[in-house]
């Protein structure tokens, strides 16, 4: 275990840089903050590369098991000052624990040739929406999220935080729209697109699995090509003055319509 007080320490700078996508891609690492999320990752068998925690909290009953698990996984354990933790977290009030993990991506081919329940997001921009969707996919017993086109990063600090640790329990794939469209003919299941322009009510759709639910960009909705690729196109009724639902809310409603059909035993 190393004790670090210096704000200019190289490891501290490298961990802080993981707030930026460029450095995440370069290093293949991402950050997860907070005892609950880090514990969730360790419980699920993820092995941290670094575990930074507030110096003096080594014997805290919540922190001590994290240190033991991290040391068993040969992670670098760093007992750091409050200022160092704030620097890594880019927050005045940082969580007591921050860990780095290797990004793990699932190949699109592997996902398409298999089965399961997936949410495909067309150019999702908001990391909070993405994290919330990851959490909903996990809650609904889904397999993962496919990021199509120019999406926000599934391993950003904000997306990981909003996922509440669900990012450790679901798969993430990323591809261009062309790659997704080229892979679709191999998919042996339902492909449901969601669109405000659809004429079929979401309660009338065939929600059987294997299933991909396609959701559109926050501003522009699904592209014409993705809309055309959908085997079913569904909409949720809009009864008030709002012209659309928030992306994460629409995804949650769709996922739980799938749950209602697939798992009637869960009431
Ligand atoms: N102006 C955009 C449009 O015309 O599609 C609104 C996009 S909406 C904020 C983001 C995504 O959430 C949509 O592309 C769709 O996938 C889903 N969505 C939101 N409200 C919906 C609804 N009432 N029915 C079906 N999908 C909906």
């Amino acid at each position: 275990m190393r004790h670090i007080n210096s704000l200019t320490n190289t490891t501290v700078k490298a961990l802080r840089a993981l707030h930026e996508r460029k450095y995440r891609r370069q290093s293949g690492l991402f950050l997860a903050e907070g005892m609950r999320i880090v514990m969730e990752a360790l419980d699920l068998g993820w092995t941290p590369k670094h575990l930074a925690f507030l110096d003096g909290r080594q014997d805290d009953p919540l922190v001590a098991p994290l240190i033991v698990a991290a040391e068993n996984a040969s992670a670098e354990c760093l007992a750091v000052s409050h200022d160092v933790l704030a620097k890594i977290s880019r927050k005045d009030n940082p969580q007591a624990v921050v860990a780095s993990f290797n990004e793990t991506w699932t190949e699109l081919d592997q996902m398409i040739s298999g089965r399961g329940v997936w949410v495909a997001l067309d150019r999702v921009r908001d990391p909070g929406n993405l994290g919330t969707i990851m959490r909903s996919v996990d809650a609904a017993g889904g397999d993962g999220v496919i990021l199509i086109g120019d999406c926000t990063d599934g391993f950003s600090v904000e997306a990981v935080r909003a996922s509440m640790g669900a990012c450790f329990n679901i798969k993430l794939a990323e591809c261009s729209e062309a790659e997704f469209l080229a892979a679709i003919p191999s998919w042996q299941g339902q492909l449901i697109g969601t669109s405000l322009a659809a004429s079929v009510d979401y309660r009338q759709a065939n929600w059987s699995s294997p299933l991909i639910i396609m959701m559109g960009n926050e501003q522009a909705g699904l592209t014409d090509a993705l809309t055309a690729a959908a085997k079913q196109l569904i909409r949720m009724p809009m009864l008030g003055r709002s012209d659309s639902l928030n992306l994460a809310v629409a995804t949650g409603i769709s996922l739980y319509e799938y749950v209602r059909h697939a798992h009637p035993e869960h009431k």
Side-chain angles (χ1 to χ4, degrees):
M1 183 185 307
R2 275 202 290 157
H3 294 261
I4 303 179
N5 294 317
S6 163
L7 296 175
T8 55
N9 176 277
T10 327
T11 308
V12 170
K13 283 195 200 159
L15 289 174
R16 179 182 164 85
L18 296 179
H19 284 262
E20 289 164 47
R21 190 175 200 160
K22 179 173 125 186
Y23 292 108
R24 287 196 296 276
R25 288 298 154 106
Q26 269 174 19
S27 63
L29 296 174
F30 70 100
L31 284 182
E33 303 170 320
M35 276 185 279
R36 192 178 166 277
I37 292 183
V38 173
M39 180 56 90
E40 174 79 353
L42 296 174
D43 280 351
L44 288 166
W46 286 65
T47 49
K49 289 282 281 186
H50 306 90
L51 178 76
F53 55 91
L54 200 54
D55 207 352
R57 298 282 293 271
Q58 286 85 323
D59 297 326
D60 181 305
L62 294 175
V63 179
L66 294 182
I67 298 173
V68 172
E71 282 178 340
N72 287 342
S74 303
E76 193 172 357
C77 289
L78 312 167
V80 304
S81 65
H82 176 276
D83 287 352
V84 168
L85 211 45
K87 176 156 184 177
I88 294 171
S89 300
R90 301 194 181 193
K91 272 199 215 141
D92 291 340
N93 288 314
Q95 300 265 2
V97 169
V98 179
S100 75
F101 295 89
N102 283 310
E103 291 188 1
T104 306
W105 293 95
T106 298
E107 292 298 325
L108 182 67
D109 290 352
Q110 194 188 327
M111 175 252 123
I112 280 283
S113 61
R115 302 177 68 78
V117 174
W118 298 79
V119 168
L121 299 174
D122 174 20
R123 297 162 296 152
V124 57
R125 304 303 307 163
D126 183 319
N129 273 344
L130 176 52
T132 304
I133 290 168
M134 291 196 268
R135 188 176 176 184
S136 303
V137 168
D138 180 47
D143 293 80
V145 171
I146 305 163
L147 299 171
I148 305 173
D150 186 15
C151 287
T152 190
D153 187 4
F155 288 112
S156 70
V157 171
E158 297 80 6
V160 170
R161 188 184 298 143
S163 86
M164 292 296 288
C167 62
F168 293 108
N169 199 39
I170 63 164
K171 299 185 178 81
L172 268 183
E174 59 177 1
C175 58
S176 66
E177 182 183 90
E179 288 167 333
F180 183 75
L181 291 171
I184 279 309
S186 310
W187 173 246
Q188 304 291 316
Q190 294 298 327
L191 179 58
I192 295 185
T194 55
S195 164
L196 296 164
S199 52
V200 177
D201 184 283
Y202 75 109
R203 289 160 291 194
Q204 310 303 323
N206 176 353
W207 289 98
S208 60
S209 62
L211 172 66
I212 298 175
I213 306 169
M214 283 193 295
M215 307 299 303
N217 165 269
E218 288 95 334
Q219 267 75 47
L222 282 175
T223 61
D224 290 346
L226 291 172
T227 304
K231 290 185 188 160
Q232 305 178 75
L233 211 53
I234 54 122
R235 76 186 295 266
M236 289 137 223
M238 300 296 302
L239 305 179
R241 286 182 60 80
S242 307
D243 60 1
S244 67
L245 292 163
N246 162 275
L247 167 63
V249 170
T251 309
I253 291 172
S254 302
L255 282 165
Y256 273 83
E257 190 61 15
Y258 151 73
V259 169
R260 199 170 73 80
H261 285 260
H263 301 287
E265 74 281 12
H266 289 296
K267 294 218 165 108

